[in-house]
Amino acid sequence: MARCCSQAQRMAACMAGRPGVGSCCGGWVATQMVLCPVSRQLSTFPDPGLVPAGHQRSVETVSFSPDSRQLASGGWDKRVMLWDVQSGQMLRLLVGHRDSIQSSDFSPTVNCLATGSWDSTVRIWDLRTGTPAVSHQALEGHSGNISCLCYSASGLLASGSWDKTIHIWKPTTSSLLIQLKGHVTWVKSIAFSPDELWLASAGYSRMVKVWDCNTGKCLETLKQGVLDVAHTCAFTPDGKILVSGAADQTRRQISRTSKSARDPQT
C-alpha cells in the first residue's frame, strides 16, 4: 500500500511546484506523490488535496508541465506516469527504460517529455494528442547513469551523467550538438541561462562550472566559499545571477555581469 509522507517530510522534500498551482514531493519514503496547494504562509502548510498512487517502488523524479496541467513522475519501477494535476488521474503510462528513472523535464511546448535513467539513456516521449503512449526516441551516448536533465527555452536538451560529462542535444533531430567535459565527479544539477548562452552545472563535489553553450568551453569554475557538495544550481529569470546550494547549508550567488562572487549566506 502506498504511504503518505508526514507534514514535516512534505515540507522538507524537494518542491517542484509552480506559483499559484501546487507542489509535490516524491522520494525514498513513498511510492506515491503528494499534491499540495501552496499557502503563502508556510506555517499553515495545508494537508494534501490529491495523492496520486500507482508506482510500485519509490518515486525519484517529478516534473510539472510548463502550463501546470500535467505532472510526470518516474522512479525505481522503471515506469513514467503522466498525471492530470486537477483530477489526480493518470493519463498515460510510459514504458521503455530498462532501469530506474532519476530525472525528467517537459519541453517548453509541452509536446515532449524527456526522462533520464540508470540505463544510461535519455528518452524523449511524444505527448501530442493522438500519438501512441509508446512513441519515443532514445538518445544514447552517455556511459553512465543519467542524473539530471534540463530543457532550454528554445527546446535544446542538456543531460548530466555519472560519466562526469554533460551532453547538449537537439531532440528534434536526435543529434548531439556538444559534449562538455571537466567535472571530476558525477554531474548532479544543470541549468541553462534564459538566453541559452551559458549552462551551469554542479558536480558531486565542491565546485560549480559555467560553460559556453556554443563553444563548449568552461568559462568559470566556482570553488571559493563552497565548503561542501554543491547539490543544485539555478539562474534567476533575468539570467543575471547564478545561485548554487551546498550541503553545508549555504547558498552562493554569482553576478553574471561582473562575474564576482558574493559572500556565502546561510
Side-chain angles (χ1 to χ4, degrees):
M1 180 181 295
R3 296 173 292 158
C4 183
C5 306
S6 69
Q7 185 182 46
Q9 287 169 327
R10 291 199 304 271
M11 292 181 69
C14 176
M15 294 299 182
R18 293 182 182 274
V21 179
S23 298
C24 57
C25 64
W28 295 97
V29 296
T31 56
Q32 64 189 20
M33 290 79 61
V34 180
L35 297 183
C36 308
V38 175
S39 169
R40 292 187 180 275
Q41 296 181 342
L42 292 180
S43 59
T44 58
F45 197 85
D47 288 330
L50 293 173
V51 185
H55 283 284
Q56 299 172 351
R57 298 183 66 185
S58 67
V59 178
E60 298 298 317
T61 178
V62 286
S63 298
F64 278 112
S65 61
D67 60 10
S68 301
R69 295 181 179 179
Q70 300 178 74
L71 174 74
S73 61
W76 279 95
D77 59 7
K78 309 174 189 177
R79 304 191 299 175
V80 181
M81 295 184 180
L82 198 64
W83 308 86
D84 179 89
V85 171
Q86 294 300 318
S87 67
Q89 297 298 311
M90 186 174 70
L91 302 175
R92 291 187 179 184
L93 174 64
L94 311 176
V95 180
H97 280 295
R98 301 182 301 276
D99 208 330
S100 174
I101 299 164
Q102 297 286 313
S103 54
S104 58
D105 197 21
F106 279 90
S107 67
T109 61
V110 199
N111 288 335
C112 296
L113 172 71
T115 55
S117 168
W118 279 14
D119 63 12
S120 302
T121 69
V122 177
R123 294 183 185 266
I124 310 295
W125 307 87
D126 191 339
L127 304 180
R128 290 174 296 179
T129 303
T131 59
V134 295
S135 176
H136 69 275
Q137 56 179 312
L139 304 180
E140 299 179 344
H142 282 292
S143 59
N145 303 335
I146 308 300
S147 49
C148 49
L149 293 171
C150 180
Y151 267 105
S152 73
S154 70
L156 298 180
L157 179 67
S159 58
S161 171
W162 282 34
D163 64 12
K164 309 174 188 177
T165 71
I166 301 163
H167 290 183
I168 299 180
W169 311 84
K170 186 176 182 180
T172 54
T173 59
S174 301
S175 56
L176 175 62
L177 300 181
I178 200 164
Q179 184 183 61
L180 309 178
K181 296 182 178 181
H183 278 288
V184 296
T185 58
W186 61 280
V187 183
K188 189 169 178 61
S189 176
I190 48 180
F192 279 103
S193 62
D195 59 13
E196 302 182 26
L197 296 178
W198 287 11
L199 180 79
S201 60
Y204 197 72
S205 62
R206 300 180 181 182
M207 67 175 64
V208 174
K209 289 182 175 291
V210 180
W211 310 84
D212 185 308
C213 292
N214 293 317
T215 65
K217 179 182 178 181
C218 180
L219 301 176
E220 286 192 83
T221 298
L222 311 173
K223 292 186 291 186
Q224 183 180 359
V226 179
L227 304 179
D228 211 327
V229 172
H231 282 288
T232 187
C233 58
F235 283 97
T236 54
D238 61 8
K240 294 182 179 179
I241 295 177
L242 169 65
V243 180
S244 66
D248 57 11
Q249 302 180 22
T250 65
R251 67 179 184 272
R252 184 171 174 80
Q253 299 181 7
I254 306 298
S255 171
R256 181 178 176 182
T257 54
S258 64
K259 298 184 181 180
S260 61
R262 303 181 182 180
D263 293 335
Q265 304 173 35
T266 57

